[in-house]
Amino acid sequence: MMWQRMRERWREGERERLFWVLIIVLWSCNDNRLAYISSEPTPYKLEEPANFVKMQIPADNPLTKEGIALGERLFFDPILSADSSLSCASCHIPSLAFTDGKARSVGVGGKTVRRSAPSLINVGYHYKGLFWDGRVQSLEMQALMPVVDHSEMDNSWEVAEERLRRHSDYPILFRRAFGIRRTSDIDRYLAAKALAQFERTLVNHNSKFDRVQRGDAKFTADEKRGWQIFFDDSQELPTSECGHCHIDPLFTTLGFFNNGIEQVNTLGDFRDKGLGAVTGHISDNGKFRTPTLRNIMLTAPYMHDGRFATLDEVFDHYISGGHFADNVNPNVRKLRLREQDKKDLIAFLQTLTDSTFVNYSVPGSSGADLSLQ
Amino acid sequence: MKNILWLGAILLLIAASCKDNDDKNGQVDLTFKSTFDTAPLVMYDEQYAYYDNLNLKFQLFQFYLTDVVLVPDDATSTTTVPHTEIALISYKDVLGQAAALQGITISANKIPAGKYKAVRFGLGVAPRFNATNPGNYTPPHPLDDHYWSSMLGYVFMKIEGNADNDGDGLFNDKLTFHIGANSLYRTMEFPVSLEVKEGQSSTINFGIDLKRVMAVSASDFLDVRTVTQDHTTNPEIYNYLYDNLEQAVQIKQ
């Protein structure tokens, strides 16, 4: 019936009026505006270093150029925090290998986070669990948490979602990345997917160490000696045992250990139980995920609570063999390292600095094009 | 004569592709229970009496198996049935008696029904795998870890634990043994009488006595007061431990 009438009117020369009505309807309805924007995300091929384990990329969140661009924009945008004061990058600063230079991070309103911000370099390879205690399994799950953590961004996702929906650019970016139809389709899960995609691209394999491995550079004599001590590689040199847990190429096995930094009387006494709080096993108390030593010159202070300000302090700890507790890993043992050995080890650790992301802080550097086509 | 061979080949092909045949499979579980002497091996909590009044505790015991196969009970057959290509038998997460009594199981559920007379496996990481590295794998995979880059190979066996050498009740003497090299790889075969039935599962039990890995007898044992570490550096120690590991793996069917 209706169609027939409309067709008649069409014929009767009402085309023009109808056309304008349609335009106005489309225009006033924000949602339909999106329908005119292309939503064919471009697959992105991540360059994976040959000697790294293969990255696990969830089938329902493949890397795309548009997804990564959106994730990057979100990562650097304070819009996600309660008072729009902090972005992810406030605590994960690119020039500090995505740490924040603080012993323990500071969140919205000056609240102190209980732990130190870990580097996000090669975080896409952290397949044994995320956070110092491994309590989350995927980057998609992880990305949901800082936004609502009271000592971090202290927001609610309802508020953050609403802000993204009302924003002038984000609906377009979500459309391009995930093909949403309406702005109301923007939600935390898509935001988390985009953040995860961006984080997976933070791959570092271009330090001097990597170039030496590839035959494109040479260690100095000090660096070489440090390298041999680090990996217990020479019968003539002392051993450091570092390589057991901080093995290349990631410079971590990602394993959870008590490396003896905390003085406790019993395993129940750890101020921060770490893995133990997640698994409920008392023998896991005081265990934390082994952090990477890549970019270690950029990520001071050290350990999950930033207790050591310098690498010198770190070495003094390991040389002493650490505090005793029943679950201190036996690879942490008294070392016979002299001053020179320590210097050489630090010279070697300096070769793990990779400047790939150091100068990068401007969102949009991955080529996000915001203009309507 | 040629024709008969062809006919045979075709019949074989038909038999192999025959759908029914696919379904005539059963599951075979190989369970590896570790003990220290006769006590179930539990990480961290339990202490174990060693020789010379020494006591030990453990944080890790693990080893690799490669090319686990079943040998059909058919004198003429030279082909074996693959069970598991590579496995890491690790007691890292055995944190209580229940888990210790359960052991570590590797399963395969496409084992053709029939009778089998032996289980065979390589102890360690076979050279073809030992030439790879974690970069070849997507986790989780037995070979995504335990690679020692400067030795260009995997650590076949790890023992990590603590001793109480001075008897003060504190287990603060540290023990770490990480052993692996192509030359240590060896094949073991255990006779079994196993009948795999369609749609059913059967279990073969192995026991591994960690005390036997560290010691041959009261007069021939790894003295943890003097040797606390070996990372495949001293042949006397690593050969001793690896040869012992071979002896310590026993079938318990």
Side-chain angles (χ1 to χ4, degrees):
Chain A
M1 254 315 263
M2 202 175 102
W3 281 115
Q4 208 170 348
R5 281 231 309 269
M6 275 172 80
R7 216 162 16 197
E8 277 162 22
R9 284 199 192 158
W10 194 258
R11 271 190 238 112
E12 285 161 17
E14 286 194 15
R15 267 176 247 193
E16 209 173 324
R17 206 192 302 172
L18 200 66
F19 176 76
W20 284 114
V21 168
L22 263 172
I23 287 291
I24 289 164
V25 167
L26 282 177
W27 201 245
S28 64
C29 173
N30 193 13
D31 283 357
N32 284 350
R33 191 169 55 123
L34 290 177
Y36 294 97
I37 297 163
S38 150
S39 72
E40 279 166 27
T42 328
Y44 179 87
K45 178 92 183 71
L46 186 69
E47 234 189 87
E48 289 208 62
N51 55 341
F52 287 19
V53 289
K54 300 279 169 281
M55 194 184 288
Q56 292 171 305
I57 297 175
D60 66 352
N61 193 22
L63 298 186
T64 65
K65 238 180 119 229
E66 292 79 2
I68 294 164
L70 171 59
E72 179 186 49
R73 174 88 183 245
L74 287 169
F75 190 87
F76 288 95
D77 194 337
I79 194 172
L80 295 178
S81 63
D83 57 0
S84 296
S85 66
L86 286 183
S87 71
C88 309
S90 306
C91 299
H92 301 287
I93 306 169
S95 60
L96 299 177
F98 297 91
T99 64
D100 60 5
K102 301 191 174 84
R104 297 195 289 148
S105 295
V106 178
V108 160
K111 275 172 281 191
T112 307
V113 185
R114 65 183 167 145
R115 293 178 185 154
S116 182
S119 171
L120 300 188
I121 288 300
N122 296 332
V123 72
Y125 294 98
H126 288 182
Y127 66 93
K128 292 186 188 170
L130 293 159
F131 288 126
W132 286 98
D133 53 17
R135 67 186 183 277
V136 166
Q137 292 310 312
S138 74
L139 285 169
E140 283 79 1
M141 289 286 287
Q142 193 284 331
L144 295 172
M145 304 176 84
V147 174
V148 294
D149 187 316
H150 295 307
S151 59
E152 296 187 13
M153 300 167 116
D154 198 21
N155 205 353
S156 77
W157 267 111
E158 287 71 25
V159 170
E161 283 166 344
E162 210 40 49
R163 285 190 200 156
L164 294 171
R165 288 171 191 152
R166 292 216 184 124
H167 194 273
S168 55
D169 299 339
Y170 278 115
I172 299 163
L173 293 173
F174 275 87
R175 162 79 183 167
R176 287 199 185 140
F178 298 112
I180 57 163
R181 286 156 190 269
R182 293 169 296 270
T183 51
S184 58
D185 289 343
I186 292 180
D187 68 9
R188 65 200 74 179
Y189 304 106
L190 291 180
K193 277 186 168 179
L195 282 163
Q197 288 190 36
F198 168 65
E199 290 172 302
R200 290 195 174 97
T201 66
L202 303 177
V203 176
N204 259 190
H205 62 123
N206 216 7
S207 64
K208 177 167 183 186
F209 167 80
D210 298 298
R211 281 180 275 122
V212 171
Q213 296 282 95
R214 295 197 284 264
D216 299 339
K218 274 208 158 76
F219 282 140
T220 65
D222 294 353
E223 290 164 356
K224 183 168 181 210
R225 208 169 160 275
W227 171 65
Q228 288 178 306
I229 298 174
F230 188 90
F231 288 113
D232 306 346
D233 219 13
S234 158
Q235 305 267 24
E236 283 80 53
L237 294 171
T239 61
S240 72
E241 316 291 335
C242 311
H244 295 300
C245 306
H246 298 284
I247 191 85
D248 65 318
L250 294 174
F251 285 87
T252 168
T253 60
L254 303 171
F256 294 84
F257 301 106
N258 176 0
N259 66 341
I261 56 176
E262 185 88 354
Q263 161 83 60
V264 288
N265 292 323
T266 73
L267 293 183
D269 294 343
F270 288 95
R271 263 176 300 173
D272 185 341
K273 292 189 170 51
L275 181 66
V278 178
T279 64
H281 292 300
I282 191 155
S283 57
D284 285 338
N285 284 0
K287 287 189 185 176
F288 293 89
R289 195 189 60 208
T290 310
T292 179
L293 299 188
R294 282 183 179 269
N295 301 299
I296 199 68
M297 308 313 292
L298 305 175
T299 63
Y302 303 111
M303 305 297 162
H304 69 273
D305 52 6
R307 67 177 62 203
F308 297 136
T310 64
L311 280 182
D312 255 319
E313 288 176 36
V314 171
F315 273 106
D316 291 344
H317 155 68
Y318 280 115
I319 289 169
S320 77
H323 296 290
F324 171 75
D326 272 335
N327 65 354
V328 171
N329 186 277
N331 292 297
V332 176
R333 46 167 70 204
K334 269 202 176 59
L335 303 172
R336 285 189 217 95
L337 298 179
R338 290 155 311 151
E339 248 348 85
Q340 188 59 46
D341 305 326
K342 206 160 102 175
K343 284 207 184 91
D344 294 344
L345 276 162
I346 291 177
F348 167 65
L349 292 178
Q350 272 163 350
T351 72
L352 302 181
T353 303
D354 186 325
S355 56
T356 306
F357 296 111
V358 162
N359 298 319
Y360 143 154
S361 61
V362 192
S365 58
S366 68
D369 173 12
L370 294 180
S371 61
L372 280 162
Q373 293 152 336
Chain B
M1 187 58 197
K2 238 186 181 170
N3 278 344
I4 291 176
L5 276 179
W6 271 111
L7 196 70
I10 287 164
L11 277 175
L12 259 176
L13 265 176
I14 290 170
S17 63
C18 179
K19 209 171 182 278
D20 257 358
N21 228 28
D22 276 357
D23 295 334
K24 288 198 172 134
N25 288 332
Q27 176 167 326
V28 175
D29 295 342
L30 305 182
T31 295
F32 297 83
K33 296 179 188 172
S34 187
T35 58
F36 195 89
D37 209 344
T38 53
L41 182 73
V42 174
M43 299 296 116
Y44 296 100
D45 285 352
E46 299 292 327
Q47 68 179 64
Y48 300 97
Y50 194 44
Y51 293 111
D52 264 8
N53 294 322
L54 293 170
N55 288 301
L56 304 176
K57 283 188 179 185
F58 294 94
Q59 296 192 22
L60 180 65
F61 175 45
Q62 66 177 40
F63 54 88
Y64 277 100
L65 301 179
T66 312
D67 292 330
V68 182
V69 299
L70 302 176
V71 185
D73 190 4
D74 166 1
T76 61
S77 165
T78 50
T79 54
T80 55
V81 172
H83 181 282
T84 300
E85 203 174 18
I86 177 101
L88 176 64
I89 309 294
S90 172
Y91 298 93
K92 170 169 122 6
D93 295 325
V94 174
L95 298 174
Q97 292 288 329
L101 292 170
Q102 218 169 13
I104 306 296
T105 298
I106 53 175
S107 301
N109 57 15
K110 295 236 160 49
I111 305 295
K115 289 189 170 167
Y116 295 88
K117 64 181 176 193
V119 179
R120 191 186 296 158
F121 50 71
L123 190 61
V125 176
R128 73 174 189 283
F129 285 121
N130 210 28
T132 67
N133 65 57
N136 297 91
Y137 305 101
T138 306
H141 187 281
L143 297 172
D144 64 21
D145 198 354
H146 313 296
Y147 183 74
W148 193 237
S149 54
S150 49
M151 306 247 294
L152 291 175
Y154 285 88
V155 181
F156 294 5
M157 171 178 74
K158 287 187 182 177
I159 302 171
E160 297 183 355
N162 297 80
D164 175 16
N165 288 341
D166 56 12
D168 66 354
L170 283 188
F171 285 75
N172 51 3
D173 302 292
K174 308 180 182 204
L175 307 174
T176 57
F177 300 95
H178 296 175
I179 295 169
N182 280 343
S183 60
L184 293 171
Y185 186 74
R186 61 201 65 184
T187 301
M188 303 181 69
E189 186 166 313
F190 299 88
V192 294
S193 77
L194 171 70
E195 183 168 3
V196 175
K197 293 190 181 134
E198 182 185 340
Q200 296 188 14
S201 71
S202 25
T203 304
I204 299 173
N205 287 302
F206 292 88
I208 303 98
D209 177 4
L210 180 53
K211 189 178 181 187
R212 181 66 184 82
V213 181
M214 299 177 66
V216 175
S217 69
S219 58
D220 177 7
F221 61 92
L222 183 85
D223 191 338
V224 296
R225 289 162 299 200
T226 51
V227 182
T228 64
Q229 185 179 53
D230 187 78
H231 297 149
T232 325
T233 33
N234 181 343
E236 220 176 297
I237 298 165
Y238 66 73
N239 282 322
Y240 180 79
L241 289 171
Y242 212 76
D243 290 347
N244 280 350
L245 174 65
E246 183 181 356
Q247 298 306 318
V249 181
Q250 304 248 318
I251 194 153
K252 300 275 174 194
Q253 205 178 20

